[in-house]
Amino acid sequence: MKALRKKWGMLTVAIGGYLGLSMGVAVAQANFYQGKTITLLATTSAGGTGDLRVKAVAPFLTKHVSGNPTVVIQYMDGGGGRKGTNHLYSNVRPDGLTVGAVSGSIIGLAVMGESGVTYDIDKLIYLGSPESENHYVIYTRSELGLANLEKLAAWPGIRIGAQTVGHVSYVAGRMFAYFLNMKEPKFIAGYTAAELDVSLVRGELDARANNASSVLRRNPDWLEKRVMNFHAIMEIPKGEKHPRLGHLPEIGTFAKNDRENKLIALWRAFRAVGSPYVLPPGTPKDRVAILEEALRKTFADPEFPPFFRKLVSDDPSPMDAPSLKKLIAEMPRDAETIDTLKKFAGTGPLPSR
């Protein structure tokens, strides 16, 4: 009996020692960020909208990362996000102390096989994105009298303005023209966003595709006073209705076959990733979990939406890590869909239907 008690006593000490060691490791992991600095590697320039989005998140990471580390921003602009993402992927130590605050364009650049991409989007570690809602609309000057889709399709040579060839508004305009069966549309690039507004009002252009929030924020009377006729919308994400333009027909309803559905799905996915927060491959899982949880708490923080709105002049529309990973993993990547989208981004004629 005495020997049995001695045996149990040794076992108790052993279990106690193991639990103490495990708790010590857990505490060490939880306190990893205490007294440390997290660098947000922003793939944008200082002062722009992309920078403001990062600045809207940074103080909440300090608040919600266990240990309350200092958070600083390092800018590495270039190549539409390629320069900074390449650096994060290949040169940054995967210790959880450098987090990429990247442009959503890095996903499209990789999938489309653009030059200068050395990162692998399937090996990056995704933490979430503060915005995913990115509805696009097509509208025309009301003087044209194109009050319905039948009149829009019958109007020959409609002039659709955009910033540059390949710009999101340029591609969106060509997609709307294609799916709405516009007759011999003309695509005119080379404007700034402000110049596009002026050219529309002056009658130098007939139409443009634009982010729904942007047009209503800058020119609310275009809808309220019917200065422009709004024709259709691309819901991003799919199924989420815009509070003021949700009545417009959705571009996906005009798709005739699987090829066209996949084209829309790919473009929709490119625009829905927002501004992802990512880590390089090999980052320890416990630190990934800490940072992922911190972003989740940031998005759920009641102080986050008004702070984001104050800096960015738009509402956040967060996407958590699992949803972001799923979106990227499931987007169409077959050669035919990619080749078709390249035609929409270029200067050649639109594909035939």
Side-chain angles (χ1 to χ4, degrees):
M1 192 69 178
K2 183 177 181 181
L4 185 60
R5 284 198 301 267
K6 183 177 180 182
K7 182 178 178 180
W8 276 109
M10 291 174 65
L11 184 58
T12 302
V13 170
I15 293 174
Y18 173 76
L19 290 176
L21 178 61
S22 299
M23 290 176 65
V25 172
V27 170
Q29 290 174 344
N31 292 336
F32 171 77
Y33 286 100
Q34 189 169 3
K36 291 188 172 65
T37 296
I38 293 176
T39 298
L40 296 181
L41 182 62
T43 63
T44 185
S45 58
T49 301
D51 176 30
L52 294 175
R53 291 193 183 106
V54 179
K55 287 177 176 175
V57 170
F60 290 89
L61 288 181
T62 296
K63 177 181 178 181
H64 291 297
V65 172
S66 179
N68 307 118
T70 300
V71 175
V72 299
I73 303 173
Q74 176 187 351
Y75 300 97
M76 192 173 288
D77 189 19
R82 278 170 284 200
K83 181 179 179 181
T85 309
N86 287 339
H87 177 74
L88 178 84
Y89 187 84
S90 301
N91 301 320
V92 166
R93 180 181 297 176
D95 55 8
L97 292 176
T98 302
V99 179
V102 302
S103 164
S105 63
I106 69 159
I107 306 299
L109 290 168
V111 173
M112 299 292 283
E114 298 292 344
S115 62
V117 173
T118 61
Y119 54 87
D120 186 336
I121 59 171
D122 295 316
K123 293 181 180 178
L124 287 169
I125 299 170
Y126 299 94
L127 301 173
S129 176
E131 74 277 345
S132 61
E133 182 182 302
N134 203 358
H135 303 305
Y136 265 74
V137 290
I138 181 79
Y139 47 92
T140 59
R141 295 184 295 113
S142 60
E143 291 92 341
L144 297 177
L146 308 180
N148 56 54
L149 293 179
E150 290 74 20
K151 291 181 179 180
L152 179 65
W155 187 274
I158 192 166
R159 299 167 298 172
I160 304 175
Q163 282 91 325
T164 57
V165 173
H167 189 279
V168 57
S169 66
Y170 176 85
V171 178
R174 284 168 66 86
M175 292 190 77
F176 278 118
Y178 175 83
F179 283 100
L180 298 181
N181 294 315
M182 294 186 193
K183 187 177 181 180
E184 300 174 358
K186 297 178 181 178
F187 305 100
I188 306 172
Y191 298 88
T192 65
E195 288 171 345
L196 280 167
D197 289 348
V198 173
S199 296
L200 272 171
V201 172
R202 288 178 176 175
E204 298 167 6
L205 294 171
D206 302 317
R208 76 168 291 195
N210 196 7
N211 178 279
S213 296
S214 294
V215 62
L216 295 183
R217 184 171 60 248
R218 291 204 308 265
N219 303 291
D221 58 320
W222 286 11
L223 177 65
E224 295 167 0
K225 298 182 179 180
R226 299 188 179 182
V227 176
M228 301 286 165
N229 282 323
F230 290 77
H231 300 284
I233 190 167
M234 179 183 287
E235 295 173 352
I236 303 174
K238 182 180 180 181
E240 184 167 321
K241 297 297 180 183
H242 188 277
R244 300 184 65 193
L245 296 170
H247 63 284
L248 295 176
E250 211 284 321
I251 193 171
T253 62
F254 300 99
K256 294 181 176 181
N257 49 50
D258 184 59
R259 178 179 63 85
E260 293 184 350
N261 280 320
K262 289 168 73 174
L263 172 67
I264 294 173
L266 180 58
W267 182 247
R268 207 192 301 268
F270 284 175
R271 305 312 306 160
V273 295
S275 304
Y277 282 74
V278 302
L279 291 167
T283 304
K285 291 183 179 180
D286 60 299
R287 297 172 199 176
V288 173
I290 290 171
L291 293 169
E292 186 177 318
E293 176 68 4
L295 263 187
R296 189 193 66 76
K297 288 181 177 179
T298 293
F299 300 155
D301 192 320
E303 295 180 356
F304 177 65
F307 187 74
F308 188 95
R309 192 179 305 116
K310 179 180 178 181
L311 265 63
V312 184
S313 298
D314 204 355
D315 291 318
S317 49
M319 182 182 293
D320 61 19
S323 299
L324 182 55
K325 295 171 190 175
K326 185 174 186 291
L327 176 70
I328 293 169
E330 296 181 354
M331 66 174 60
R333 301 194 202 179
D334 60 282
E336 182 183 19
T337 302
I338 292 171
D339 183 63
T340 302
L341 184 53
K342 285 182 177 180
K343 292 177 181 177
F344 279 84
T347 58
L350 292 172
S352 58
R353 298 193 76 182

